[in-house]
Amino acid sequence: MTLDTALERALREQTPLVWINPQRAPGIPAAGPAPSQLAEAESRMGRAGELLADLFAGAASSPQGIESPLQSADALASCHPLLFKDSGPLFLKRDDMLPVAGSIKARGGFHEVLALAERIAQQQGLRTDPGHLLGAEARALFSRYTVAVGSTGNLGMSIGIFAAALGFRPVIHMSVDAKQWKKQRLRDHGARVVEHTGDYASAVEAGRREAGADPLSHFVDDERSMMLFLGYAASARHVVQQLRDAGRSIDAGHPLFVYLPCGVGGAPGGIAYGLKQLLGDNVHCFFIEPVASPCMLVQLASGSDHPISVHALGLDNRTEADGLAVGLASPLVAPLMRTLLSGVMTIADDDLFRCLFTAQQQLAATLEPSAAAALSGPGSLLASEAGRRYIDALAVAPSDITHLMWSTGGSMVPAHEHAAFLARGRALLDSEPGWFWRASSDAAAHGRLP
């Protein structure tokens, strides 16, 4: 592994930082999915929305299928008027409000399960329209099959709940320290939860191994699944239309900056890829990772074609952002991000809770710690020397940049747990009243904003 010395030191010391990708280049990686695959994914997500409307009360369908609101987040600028005095508008994409699963993982999970159901039905000569997939014959067929996944929680919920509703037998492999309420919610919906003593990677490997021994078992591979990736990528067209409806057109003089929490990389990678297909070089995507689990940053910054774990830097991959507690980046997604991604920012756990509390106070958004990472993006970029240089190189007015933070989950968190999150965030802010977003001017230094 080869890393810049200052960057390696900052990573080892778990210093929050802003890293601008030196390998970024115009265009779309040739190895990625074709536009026709994205079009089919968009169509399938519409069908998934129809199924959800029939299966779950309150899961209303729309022409886009599974979608979430876009909310103005300009109120966040009031937290630091000096930093944001010349910035463009802020928006929050509310995937925490997605139906049934309450997280971004609904996009990939529902897409893959529906693709599987349609394939099995087609192979057996059954019709694949939503009405027939909910019929007794299809349910009897699906009941012979197991759908398995290894998950930190949110992907498991999207796979388990939707698969069970269609008649499949879901098996969710999770680490023992994954959130208990997520495990219980899965069990309540009829999924079998298998707990493992290791971390996320151990749960994935165990699930992959068990499913491989059963010819009637389908393993949803969060690290390698193109179906998951396409489900996430299918969100791009609708969010661009939402921005247009809000009066924000995207072009060379009015670029879009997108901030995405990153775990293994499938969800943020798919969204980034879909947006790049539509907007080209007018969209700039940044991932946000915990300081203990910066797997995508480590992989990309190493320049290696071989998997590099955060453990190689002495990091323990332990973070309150359970959905982002991943030590090894997706081998499917990392190569696609090598030239596509603009950069990566890291965030400390305490700052996640500060952002979570701020989201509730300023935006009435109920987020979980991993989702709150997105809120750190604009401030971290604007406050850092590296971020300011990046913006200056675009030769656009800061006020013409649209900032889009992607909220990835939180609405399903039990009220007592969210109250504890808020209490921690409030206490941290009370102990440091001048805090807002932290950033580093380079990989070696960081400090509090003025």
Side-chain angles (χ1 to χ4, degrees):
M1 177 176 61
T2 302
L3 292 176
D4 172 83
T5 302
L7 174 61
E8 182 174 348
R9 182 171 61 251
L11 289 170
R12 288 183 181 276
E13 294 175 355
Q14 300 191 36
T15 301
L17 58 87
V18 174
W19 176 79
I20 300 300
N21 180 13
Q23 299 183 82
R24 68 191 185 281
I28 302 292
S36 60
Q37 291 176 281
L38 291 176
E40 173 55 29
E42 291 171 2
S43 176
R44 184 174 289 115
M45 291 301 280
R47 298 194 295 275
E50 292 182 53
L51 287 169
L52 290 182
D54 289 335
L55 287 168
F56 301 98
S61 183
S62 72
Q64 294 80 27
I66 299 166
E67 265 311 332
S68 66
L70 182 72
Q71 176 181 347
S72 170
D74 285 341
L76 294 177
S78 66
C79 298
H80 202 301
L82 179 62
L83 183 63
F84 287 98
K85 66 182 177 70
D86 296 321
S87 73
L90 304 168
F91 291 94
L92 186 66
K93 180 61 172 164
R94 296 295 304 274
D95 271 12
D96 57 289
M97 297 176 66
L98 283 172
V100 183
S103 83
I104 193 172
K105 297 297 187 176
R107 299 182 182 279
F110 293 171
H111 181 260
E112 175 139 354
V113 171
L114 181 54
L116 173 66
E118 290 176 340
R119 177 170 59 82
I120 292 173
Q122 187 175 44
Q123 289 172 347
Q124 298 301 316
L126 301 184
R127 289 176 58 178
T128 60
D129 57 282
H132 282 80
L133 289 181
L134 297 180
E137 190 175 5
R139 289 186 64 84
L141 173 62
F142 299 151
S143 69
R144 297 164 48 197
Y145 290 82
T146 295
V147 178
V149 65
S151 171
T152 57
N154 284 345
L155 180 62
M157 285 204 294
S158 73
I159 296 291
I161 293 172
F162 193 38
L166 290 177
F168 290 103
R169 294 174 294 161
V171 179
I172 315 301
H173 296 265
M174 304 175 76
S175 63
V176 293
D177 56 358
K179 301 296 184 185
Q180 288 301 318
W181 69 265
K182 295 183 180 182
K183 297 173 187 175
Q184 189 57 50
R185 182 172 170 80
L186 280 163
R187 293 182 176 117
D188 290 345
H189 281 270
R192 179 166 70 94
V193 176
V194 181
E195 299 187 60
H196 301 272
T197 56
D199 61 6
Y200 161 83
S202 301
V204 170
E205 183 53 40
R208 186 185 292 122
R209 186 169 56 250
E210 181 179 298
D214 181 0
L216 294 182
S217 182
H218 174 81
F219 182 67
V220 179
D221 196 330
D222 197 13
E223 297 178 345
R224 299 178 174 87
S225 172
M226 182 57 73
M227 284 294 104
L228 289 178
F229 187 85
L230 287 168
Y232 302 125
S235 65
R237 192 173 303 278
H238 187 238
V239 76
V240 170
Q241 185 59 53
Q242 287 179 313
L243 288 167
R244 288 173 180 154
D245 292 343
R248 301 301 297 184
S249 294
I250 309 303
D251 54 39
H254 304 83
L256 175 65
F257 282 29
V258 185
Y259 308 92
L260 297 146
C262 179
V264 73
I271 290 168
Y273 194 90
L275 287 170
K276 279 287 187 179
Q277 283 279 7
L278 290 179
L279 301 175
D281 298 330
N282 299 327
V283 62
H284 305 261
C285 297
F286 299 88
F287 288 175
I288 322 291
E289 297 185 299
V291 292
S293 308
C295 64
M296 190 63 71
L297 194 162
V298 168
Q299 188 65 52
L300 295 180
S302 73
S304 176
D305 292 328
H306 303 290
I308 305 292
S309 170
V310 300
H311 294 292
L313 289 172
L315 300 176
D316 60 11
N317 190 34
R318 299 187 68 84
T319 171
E320 293 285 352
D322 59 331
L324 311 184
V326 179
L328 199 64
S330 163
L332 169 71
V333 178
L336 297 177
M337 296 300 105
R338 183 169 294 160
T339 60
L340 184 152
L341 195 64
S342 291
V344 180
M345 305 163 196
T346 62
I347 183 170
D349 274 13
D350 281 354
D351 292 347
L352 288 172
F353 287 95
R354 292 183 173 100
C355 287
L356 184 149
F357 182 81
T358 302
Q360 184 69 54
Q361 293 297 105
Q362 299 293 332
L363 306 175
T366 301
L367 307 183
E368 57 187 342
S370 56
L375 275 74
S376 70
S380 294
L381 193 73
L382 293 170
S384 70
E385 182 181 337
R388 290 193 295 269
R389 285 200 304 266
Y390 186 92
I391 293 171
D392 289 344
L394 296 178
V396 297
S399 59
D400 288 331
I401 298 172
T402 299
H403 299 273
L404 175 61
M405 300 162 286
W406 211 288
S407 166
T408 54
S411 62
M412 298 293 177
V413 175
H416 71 278
E417 292 220 10
H418 193 256
F421 293 159
L422 291 174
R424 179 170 172 179
R426 181 192 294 272
L428 287 164
L429 283 170
D430 287 346
S431 70
E432 194 175 359
W435 179 89
F436 191 48
W437 282 301
R438 297 184 189 278
S440 63
S441 59
D442 55 41
H446 76 295
R448 195 162 87 178
L449 300 176

